Amino acid sequence: MAERTYDCVIVGGRCAGAALAAYLARDGGSVMLLDADRRGTDRVLSTHTIHPPGMDVLDELGVGDDVRKTSPPARRLRLQIDDAHVDVVPPTGRDECCPRRHRLDGLLQDAAVAAGAELNDQTRVTELIREGGRVLGVRAERSGKQEEFRGRLTVGADGRHSTIAKLAGAKEYLGYDWPRLGYWAYWEPPPAWNGDEYPYDFLLRFVGSHRRLIFTTDEGEILLGTMPRADDRERWRTDHEKMYEEDLRSDPVFEPLVADGTIASKVVGTLKERFFFRQSAGPGWALVGDAGHHKDPLIGWGISEALVQAKHLAAAVRLGTDSALERYWRQRDVDALPRFRYGEDRGKPGSMNPVVPVVLRRVPEVPGLSEHMFRETEYDVNPYELLPVGKVGRWTMAAALRGRPGLILDFLRQGRRVSSVQREVMQYRKLLDAVDSNDPRKQGGKAPSISSV
């Protein structure tokens, strides 16, 4: 059995794992990147949106411009809820791109290899190597042969069904089953897509209990997606292609694109998903991306968070201590929790809170407020704190006085939800603070670098 030793063994060579490998290899660490798939294959069950912080990571790794060449930045984003909508134009240089995964992952893998990482595709991990309770690498099968890859740190970047998470015993918390299904396909759009009827590149459309989306991806193709309620699972399971077309044709915004466009791929989707947080650090191991945290794709943060987490984990690895890895995990929870709950709210089987379309209709009246809403994609604003509470309250009261008194209760219900999320964030911030208070560096300890194995 062949055996090799590295500073870091990363299992999963897609956006999170390849980005982490590139960062660590650029720092001079020896990195082995393992992936179960053949290099260059697509990631079928994946959305594509990359918010500006994710694009910043791609730029740091030298692949941002290559992404933009094939997947042009969105010039206008539209959020529609029932009969209300708001359009957001990203500031200059703050790109929102939607590249296909086979290109994106390939560019990041190339960047990792160029930086000095080794990449083995078609390699399936079967076991963790442990000594004294600490993970020291993996055993894997490649081309019918068993190999050992030892490392000071082993990272699971192998997705929501992570083998590393299972083998490490990473416990799940805050988990729930998605009350929806998801189906989508790529289309060559009709000429109408570039006309005045569709003055946007990206659309999230919530009408009643329906959730649908459109975005422009590589080479001018568009993705048309729908997320029906999970209680319709059996009908979709029987004939998902027929159900997909019927669903889109029932929507007046989507019907012309389906009628006059040309489908350019298979219809793919998922009948069941679970969203969660997992313990993401332990003795000799860590998790990054969907392996450690998976949230509702309706809010489009999956890839962006995976890239940002890879950057943060690389910084923790440089410090070389278990407490630095735990701090990375706890900080991730504090950052991701509001969006996790926000996705949960948007994905619920019924309609959105009636206050939301009332507010959305008023946003364009306030100069700069629609542009301010884009800050949520910058990862520096909690989505529950995006709009001024005072204005939202006044708009709600005005609508209530015009004959919708029930909105007052809806407003109070939303306020309780916001308070609940804020309390939850504070609980996880206390766990983060506890890590900081026990950090050996604050006791005068010295953290080794990644290469000090």
Side-chain angles (χ1 to χ4, degrees):
M1 178 184 294
E3 179 183 318
R4 304 175 189 176
T5 300
Y6 298 88
D7 294 327
C8 188
V9 175
I10 302 171
V11 179
R14 298 296 185 150
C15 58
L20 176 63
Y23 274 120
L24 297 181
R26 290 198 323 184
D27 285 346
S30 60
V31 181
M32 170 53 73
L33 183 60
L34 306 174
D35 197 80
D37 294 325
R38 179 174 53 81
R39 190 173 182 179
T41 56
D42 205 358
R43 191 71 166 181
V44 176
L45 295 180
S46 171
T47 52
H48 308 290
T49 309
I50 306 180
H51 298 313
M55 293 302 301
D56 291 341
V57 171
L58 297 182
D59 285 334
E60 287 181 10
L61 297 178
V63 303
D65 287 342
D66 287 329
V67 167
R68 297 181 186 93
K69 286 176 185 176
T70 303
S71 181
R75 67 183 185 279
R76 185 177 295 270
L77 317 174
R78 173 168 291 186
L79 171 62
Q80 179 172 1
I81 298 174
D82 293 334
D83 60 350
H85 75 264
V86 64
D87 289 344
V88 177
V89 177
T92 301
R94 302 311 294 158
D95 301 334
E96 182 96 5
C97 293
C98 301
R100 293 285 297 270
R101 286 299 300 276
H102 65 92
R103 286 196 66 255
L104 173 65
D105 296 339
L107 289 169
L108 286 168
Q109 289 169 353
D110 290 345
V113 172
E118 296 182 44
L119 170 61
N120 282 353
D121 63 355
Q122 302 182 78
T123 303
R124 185 175 62 87
V125 170
T126 58
E127 188 179 355
L128 292 180
I129 302 170
R130 295 178 184 267
E131 292 182 11
R134 191 172 192 87
V135 173
L136 296 177
V138 299
R139 295 186 178 91
E141 184 177 296
R142 183 168 184 261
S143 301
K145 297 180 180 179
Q146 292 290 321
E147 296 188 61
E148 286 192 359
F149 301 93
R150 290 181 173 261
R152 184 172 63 84
L153 177 67
T154 299
V155 175
D158 48 343
R160 61 197 188 283
H161 301 301
S162 170
T163 297
I164 299 303
K166 180 184 292 186
L167 294 174
K171 294 181 179 179
E172 177 191 294
Y173 50 100
L174 304 181
Y176 69 95
D177 292 324
W178 199 23
R180 294 189 173 273
L181 320 174
Y183 283 90
W184 58 92
Y186 301 96
W187 294 74
E188 296 177 8
W193 171 248
N194 296 310
D196 295 338
E197 188 176 354
Y198 297 95
Y200 45 77
D201 304 293
F202 186 106
L203 170 68
L204 281 177
R205 178 170 161 85
F206 301 172
V207 178
S209 65
H210 300 288
R211 306 286 187 268
R212 299 185 181 96
L213 58 88
I214 309 172
F215 57 71
T216 304
T217 182
D218 293 2
E219 308 293 352
E221 289 185 345
I222 58 175
L223 182 146
L224 303 182
T226 182
M227 297 177 179
R229 293 163 58 118
D231 54 15
D232 214 10
R233 180 178 288 116
E234 291 309 313
R235 288 206 302 152
W236 282 82
R237 190 195 305 272
T238 300
D239 191 346
H240 69 273
E241 292 181 349
K242 176 183 176 182
M243 291 293 294
Y244 170 78
E245 183 171 341
E246 288 181 354
D247 181 282
L248 296 187
R249 284 184 178 273
S250 71
D251 189 316
V253 171
F254 286 71
E255 197 280 334
L257 301 176
V258 174
D260 299 327
T262 302
I263 194 165
S265 72
K266 294 181 179 180
V267 178
V268 297
T270 176
L271 285 165
K272 186 176 182 180
E273 287 294 326
R274 184 165 178 79
F275 304 127
F276 55 81
F277 288 82
R278 287 189 184 122
Q279 174 190 357
S280 291
W285 63 272
L287 303 177
V288 68
D290 282 351
H293 168 56
H294 186 41
K295 62 163 58 73
D296 194 314
L298 271 168
I299 62 173
W301 269 102
I303 297 176
S304 302
E305 284 195 334
L307 293 169
V308 171
Q309 287 173 27
K311 178 178 179 177
H312 292 170
L313 180 53
V317 173
R318 290 185 198 109
L319 295 174
T321 64
D322 287 349
S323 62
L325 295 176
E326 185 177 0
R327 191 187 195 287
Y328 146 80
W329 161 30
R330 299 302 188 183
Q331 183 68 62
R332 180 212 59 191
D333 283 4
V334 170
D335 293 341
L337 185 53
R339 289 168 181 81
F340 179 73
R341 293 305 186 199
Y342 195 57
E344 183 180 21
D345 291 348
R346 285 193 170 186
K348 286 180 178 177
S351 301
M352 296 284 286
N353 186 310
V355 168
V356 178
V358 169
V359 171
L360 213 59
R361 275 190 289 271
R362 302 294 297 268
V363 165
E365 299 174 5
V366 181
L369 191 52
S370 61
E371 289 78 6
H372 175 76
M373 291 181 68
F374 190 74
R375 289 186 62 198
E376 195 276 324
T377 69
E378 293 281 8
Y379 216 61
D380 62 353
V381 175
N382 181 326
Y384 288 102
E385 300 172 351
L386 193 59
L387 298 175
V389 175
K391 287 187 182 296
V392 173
R394 289 193 292 273
W395 292 337
T396 302
M397 184 61 68
L401 293 174
R402 288 195 297 268
R404 299 181 64 187
L407 285 173
I408 296 175
L409 291 177
D410 295 324
F411 174 75
L412 294 174
R413 187 170 67 249
Q414 182 65 15
R416 288 193 295 271
R417 176 59 166 172
V418 172
S419 296
S420 173
V421 173
Q422 289 173 335
R423 288 193 299 270
E424 199 171 21
V425 171
M426 288 303 298
Q427 292 173 1
Y428 283 87
R429 188 173 295 280
K430 288 179 181 177
L431 296 174
L432 173 61
D433 291 342
V435 177
D436 285 342
S437 65
N438 294 322
D439 190 337
R441 288 173 298 153
K442 294 185 178 181
Q443 314 300 322
K446 183 178 180 181
S449 68
I450 179 178
S451 59
S452 59
V453 179

